[in-house]
Amino acid sequence: MITYRQLFIFLLFFKGLFAGEVSAQIYRPSAAIEERVLSLLDDMTLEEKIGQLTLYTTDWGATGPTIREGYKNDIRSGACGNLFNSHTVGFVRELQRIAVEETRLKIPLLFGFDVIHGYKTIFPIPLGEAASWDLAAIEKSARVGATEASAAGLNWTFAPMVDISRDPRWGRVMEGAGEDTYLGCRIAEARVRGIQGPKIGNTDAMLACVKHYAAYGAPLAGRDYNTVDMSERFFREYYLPPYEAAVRAGAATVMTSFNDYDGVPATGNKYLMTDILRKEWGFRGFVVTDYTSINEMVNHGVIANEKEAGELALNAGVDMDMQGAVYQRFLAQSVREGKVSEILVDEAVRRVLRLKFELGLFENPYKFCDETREKTELLSAPHRTAAREVSRKSIVLLKNEKNVLPLKKTAKIALVGPLADNKTELIGNWNGAGNSNDCISVLEGLRAQTKAEVLFESGCEFFVAKNGGLEAARALAQQADVVVAVVGEQAMMSGEAAARADISLPAVQEDMVLELIKTGKPVIVILMNGRPLALPKIAENAAAILETWWLGTEAGNAIADVVYGDYNPSGKLPMTFPRSVGQVPVFYNERNTGRPYDPNSKWTSRYIDSPNSPQWPFGFGLSYTTFGYTEPKPDKAVFKKGETLQIAVTVSNTGSVDGEEVVQLYVRDLVGSVTRPVKELKGFQKVLLRAGESKKLTFKLNEHDLSFFRRDMTFGVEPGEYEIMVGGNSGDLKRVKVRMTE
Ligand code: GLC
């Protein structure tokens, strides 16, 4: 008995025989997506299937070592079904037209791009946004990025990057959410929500791509692309959770990382790509490699040649080959040789087609090519306003001696430093289609908000002295009430392939600041950097320090808002700032060791030439006001395993100006079947408190919050004593003990 489906496919095939082609709109638009995917899959040749598993960059941007010529012909022949680094409505429309008019099956293309912290309106780098601890603000930033990028033809972004990292030598810390797993999970979820919006298929929604799976942020020596070597316990406890959080938040795609895990490169690691991602987490989207990471498995030394690398990747569960042309060149042969089952190829193709159907590309391949949206959305006033908001929230006040900040708008400022009037660096690395000319510099931002004089002299270059610069800066300082020095890295000193063995401020800049401090004028240092820096002398001698990361298009306005107190800084460090690179890795949730630091004993875990403590700890950030905390009050001193524990704390604004405080909750499991961190972040609430106002906050800790990978690697709790800690940073906490019973 012939089924409807078989009949339909026969008719389809029959029609195709004559027409020699099928239109993109067929495949039963009213049917369920799965049926439509199957109908299309049945039409496809093996080569056309492999084309859907192939992703090439156009010549519009190099985000890796190779660029292929002839990608338009690859589209025409069906050898390439997906592109990245091509955007604007005009260019996307041109390329999509080739796919849906000049190919046999007319399957629309995906268009991917690295929209990491904004498309045209550039927001703070992700590490900076993480410092806001404001999940709504972070989601908003991702939402604006997706709104603008989708207005420029794009439907897929290679974000969020959720790699946990405790090593500021690694340049890509700028792209992530810092060192903490809990904060990293919450931010990963917020970014996925922002990117994908309420529904995939909306014209302002993009496919998210959680990366770089997995543990890319833990390269030995902080050197990009280097080996990652850690126990499974460590991996599952600290590095894996944010990928899971993003997947469970609905991330449509996942990107493999360049590194190996447990000796097998992620791009060929079946344990990661199938056992954990699909079997444990139920992920149904597709996995794309990082840039030529299949090919690079030959360098890793786990496979003899690229053809076998392709077989290893596909069999591990990797669906799409970014830029490697390995699937295109070898996969058909591998299938014919039986090295790869066509069933696996079909599964991979189904995952890709499913998302193309979900996006609505078959009904309208040009749905993201709306010139009107492109004209109205990009750099719109609301988007610039949002960027200024998020930027202000991302600024961290690290020091403020004698409350030198905020400045009065009558203060005469000597503004110095190579970044003081700079625009080109403000959009940071991975800056999408941002144009630094759209940025507001610090000089512009300050001058826009005051009638007092803002005198400017760069004083030095980034890495070398400027002829007469220091003298000119000194002279300016003498004429002013206060010196504001804007110093830091260049944007490309962080990001991919930008590891630093020395994480100090460029010497010429530090020397200039220290020279200006000798004038006796208060010196306010504004830092711009993509990673924690080691700057002990600045920390000791500057009157005030603002950490501003790379704030993007509205940088100058946001910084001026904080300098003049129109916004009271509320940021908290998402990553520890070491005193020196010699302390790295230094992070807050360390374990106690058998010889915990004792200042009075040589024979403890310590240095002979440095304190153990960092310059500024995780979660640290000052305000123009002060906050007071009561002791944390648990709703029960003894609670049963499985019960939820509630902790109340009252926070007061004990100063004279309104301010926001990030109230942080930490937990310590005092005795475990394995060594446990001395504290772990398990909750936070960012609250606005008017001057003199107090608020009672409640936190809840459930069984999952207190669970960990026990001695036998099962995930769960262990009854016993816990310390509950609350405060405004990980180094200054009030504590209470509670006991969990069976
Ligand atoms: C790069 C990066 C990755 C990026 C991709 C495409 O090598 O590792 O984060 O999304 O290539 O640009």
Side-chain angles (χ1 to χ4, degrees):
M1 163 70 177
I2 188 166
T3 66
Y4 166 74
R5 195 171 112 70
Q6 286 164 331
L7 175 64
F8 174 78
I9 288 167
F10 172 73
L11 290 173
L12 190 74
F13 179 70
F14 194 70
K15 176 180 178 345
L17 273 182
F18 286 97
E21 60 179 16
V22 284
S23 117
Q25 280 63 38
I26 206 154
Y27 309 121
R28 307 169 60 192
S30 57
I33 282 183
E34 284 313 313
E35 277 305 298
R36 302 180 72 190
V37 167
L38 286 172
S39 304
L40 175 49
L41 192 66
D42 282 341
D43 273 351
M44 299 171 78
T45 64
L46 178 57
E47 283 68 19
E48 287 165 334
K49 292 176 185 176
I50 293 167
Q52 291 302 305
L53 308 183
T54 297
L55 169 67
Y56 290 143
T57 180
T58 65
D59 44 17
W60 260 37
T63 50
T66 61
I67 287 264
R68 278 173 57 84
E69 297 307 320
Y71 60 88
K72 290 183 183 174
N73 292 330
D74 290 331
I75 299 170
R76 271 188 197 93
S77 67
C80 168
N82 311 282
L83 288 175
F84 67 115
N85 291 332
S86 51
H87 46 97
T88 73
V89 165
F91 192 30
V92 167
R93 183 180 289 278
E94 177 202 336
L95 296 168
Q96 192 69 297
R97 190 202 58 74
I98 297 173
V100 300
E101 292 184 11
E102 297 183 31
T103 63
R104 188 176 79 84
L105 292 174
K106 307 178 177 359
I107 300 173
L109 300 167
L110 285 180
F111 287 89
F113 192 46
D114 293 282
V115 185
I116 308 298
H117 53 109
Y119 172 73
K120 188 59 85 179
T121 306
I122 303 302
F123 283 71
I125 56 171
L127 187 64
E129 285 185 350
S132 74
W133 293 56
D134 185 326
L135 299 178
I138 290 166
E139 182 175 340
K140 174 70 179 171
S141 166
R143 189 86 288 277
V144 170
T147 301
E148 292 195 353
S150 60
L154 293 159
N155 47 45
W156 182 25
T157 176
F158 305 131
M161 184 275 219
V162 303
D163 308 326
I164 294 295
S165 185
R166 296 167 158 175
D167 195 328
R169 293 172 295 182
W170 189 52
R172 301 197 77 166
V173 295
M174 58 76 58
E175 289 175 71
E179 72 188 48
D180 182 67
T181 305
Y182 179 86
L183 180 61
C185 287
R186 303 295 77 80
I187 288 177
E189 293 157 351
R191 289 190 166 134
V192 169
R193 288 194 301 267
I195 291 165
Q196 298 189 162
K199 182 176 177 299
I200 288 174
N202 292 350
T203 47
D204 65 355
M206 299 176 85
L207 301 181
C209 181
V210 58
K211 70 183 187 182
H212 305 79
Y213 182 59
Y216 178 40
L220 289 180
R223 215 171 63 229
D224 207 354
Y225 316 122
N226 203 4
T227 301
V228 167
D229 195 4
M230 62 176 72
S231 67
E232 176 161 8
R233 179 188 315 286
F234 203 68
F235 173 64
R236 283 184 173 272
E237 199 74 57
Y238 302 109
Y239 289 85
L240 191 60
Y243 305 101
E244 180 176 6
V247 164
R248 293 192 187 285
T253 68
V254 170
M255 183 185 292
T256 69
S257 57
F258 289 117
N259 58 284
D260 54 347
Y261 169 71
D262 195 20
V264 180
T267 306
N269 193 312
K270 187 166 185 179
Y271 180 61
L272 294 179
M273 300 303 155
T274 296
D275 298 349
I276 294 179
L277 184 59
R278 296 196 187 282
K279 290 181 181 166
E280 279 187 36
W281 300 346
F283 176 64
R284 297 189 69 241
F286 69 78
V287 174
V288 61
T289 72
D290 203 339
Y291 207 109
T292 62
S293 62
I294 293 180
N295 318 55
E296 293 167 14
M297 290 203 279
V298 178
N299 295 336
H300 274 285
V302 290
I303 207 79
N305 57 59
E306 290 185 332
K307 172 176 176 293
E308 289 176 25
E311 291 155 7
L312 180 64
L314 203 287
N315 286 325
V318 173
D319 303 307
M320 192 182 287
D321 171 6
M322 179 194 284
Q323 198 58 21
V326 172
Y327 284 1
Q328 184 193 346
R329 283 178 288 150
F330 305 113
L331 198 51
Q333 183 188 347
S334 300
V335 169
R336 292 186 183 107
E337 291 169 355
K339 303 280 176 54
V340 171
S341 151
E342 188 161 0
I343 293 169
L344 280 184
V345 172
D346 287 356
E347 273 178 32
V349 177
R350 278 210 302 275
R351 294 173 185 138
V352 176
L353 294 181
R354 188 178 298 132
L355 284 168
K356 291 188 175 184
F357 277 110
E358 266 189 63
L359 280 169
L361 289 173
F362 284 87
E363 282 71 14
N364 178 5
Y366 303 106
K367 68 185 287 184
F368 296 95
C369 297
D370 176 341
E371 285 84 353
T372 308
R373 282 195 67 217
E374 190 175 39
K375 284 196 186 68
T376 54
E377 295 284 11
L378 274 50
L379 268 180
S380 68
H383 290 174
R384 291 195 77 127
T385 301
R388 184 168 178 166
E389 270 301 308
V390 177
S391 297
R392 308 190 319 182
K393 291 170 178 263
S394 303
I395 294 172
V396 184
L397 178 61
L398 294 174
K399 186 179 182 184
N400 192 19
E401 226 158 46
K402 302 189 188 98
N403 294 324
V404 63
L405 282 174
L407 294 182
K408 293 192 178 4
K409 295 195 174 178
T410 52
K412 190 171 180 182
I413 295 173
L415 182 68
V416 301
L419 284 157
D421 73 330
N422 180 287
K423 289 177 181 254
T424 53
E425 305 302 324
L426 297 181
I427 52 179
N429 201 329
W430 290 114
N431 48 49
N435 183 333
S436 53
N437 294 326
D438 298 322
C439 291
I440 305 295
S441 70
V442 175
L443 179 59
E444 289 169 336
L446 291 174
R447 283 182 170 164
Q449 296 202 24
T450 178
K451 292 188 175 41
E453 269 197 285
V454 181
L455 309 168
F456 165 65
E457 165 55 52
S458 63
C460 66
E461 308 298 336
F462 274 98
F463 306 105
V464 295
K466 174 186 171 188
N467 193 11
L470 182 54
E471 293 69 23
R474 209 183 268 123
L476 235 51
Q478 297 305 353
Q479 302 168 47
D481 301 317
V482 63
V483 176
V484 175
V486 190
V487 293
E489 295 183 312
Q490 285 183 317
M492 291 306 150
M493 291 168 69
S494 61
E496 184 173 356
R500 290 182 67 192
D502 171 357
I503 55 173
S504 54
L505 205 54
V508 70
Q509 298 182 49
E510 179 168 277
D511 293 346
M512 177 180 72
V513 171
L514 296 175
E515 279 303 309
L516 294 173
I517 288 169
K518 287 177 188 164
T519 66
K521 299 283 177 161
V523 176
I524 294 160
V525 172
I526 293 178
L527 293 172
M528 293 188 178
N529 41 292
R531 56 160 55 82
L533 296 178
L535 17 75
K537 291 181 186 161
I538 299 281
E540 187 182 346
N541 297 294
I545 302 170
L546 284 171
E547 173 55 72
T548 70
W549 317 104
W550 296 114
L551 291 176
T553 308
E554 284 291 320
N557 286 333
I559 289 168
D561 291 342
V562 169
V563 166
Y564 288 121
D566 294 339
Y567 180 79
N568 181 358
S570 62
K572 300 280 185 178
L573 295 178
M575 203 169 167
T576 302
F577 273 51
R579 296 174 191 275
S580 72
V581 73
Q583 285 185 308
V584 172
V586 56
F587 46 90
Y588 85 94
N589 50 342
E590 59 183 7
R591 284 174 269 193
N592 209 33
T593 78
R595 294 198 174 186
Y597 173 64
D598 171 352
N600 305 312
S601 165
K602 168 184 171 59
W603 310 101
T604 63
S605 181
R606 61 186 299 175
Y607 301 100
I608 60 171
D609 56 358
S610 164
N612 282 13
S613 63
Q615 191 71 58
W616 294 292
F618 172 79
F620 180 83
L622 300 173
S623 169
Y624 292 152
T625 188
T626 50
F627 297 99
Y629 285 75
T630 61
E631 299 298 326
K633 277 194 182 26
D635 62 343
K636 30 189 177 297
V638 179
F639 65 108
K640 283 194 174 48
K641 178 176 162 183
E643 277 188 323
T644 295
L645 185 68
Q646 296 209 37
I647 297 97
V649 61
T650 298
V651 189
S652 304
N653 179 337
T654 50
S656 57
V657 292
D658 300 350
E660 292 163 286
E661 171 70 326
V662 179
V663 182
Q664 301 157 47
L665 174 82
Y666 295 86
V667 173
R668 180 180 184 177
D669 178 354
L670 288 166
V671 177
S673 57
V674 293
T675 54
R676 308 285 294 121
V678 295
K679 64 189 78 160
E680 287 183 283
L681 182 73
K682 291 294 180 184
F684 63 90
Q685 296 181 43
K686 186 163 191 175
V687 290
L688 171 64
L689 291 170
R690 303 291 174 204
E693 183 185 12
S694 294
K695 267 184 191 160
K696 180 180 175 185
L697 305 179
T698 302
F699 291 91
K700 289 185 180 172
L701 285 172
N702 60 33
E703 184 165 357
H704 184 276
D705 294 323
L706 299 175
S707 294
F708 64 100
F709 287 89
R710 298 171 289 201
R711 177 85 60 81
D712 62 1
M713 280 304 281
T714 57
F715 185 73
V717 293
E718 290 175 351
E721 254 198 324
Y722 290 79
E723 211 168 32
I724 309 295
M725 298 160 264
V726 180
N729 81 73
S730 64
D732 178 13
L733 298 166
K734 291 185 183 293
R735 305 157 188 268
V736 65
K737 282 190 178 165
V738 294
R739 168 175 292 282
M740 181 201 295
T741 60
E742 281 293 351

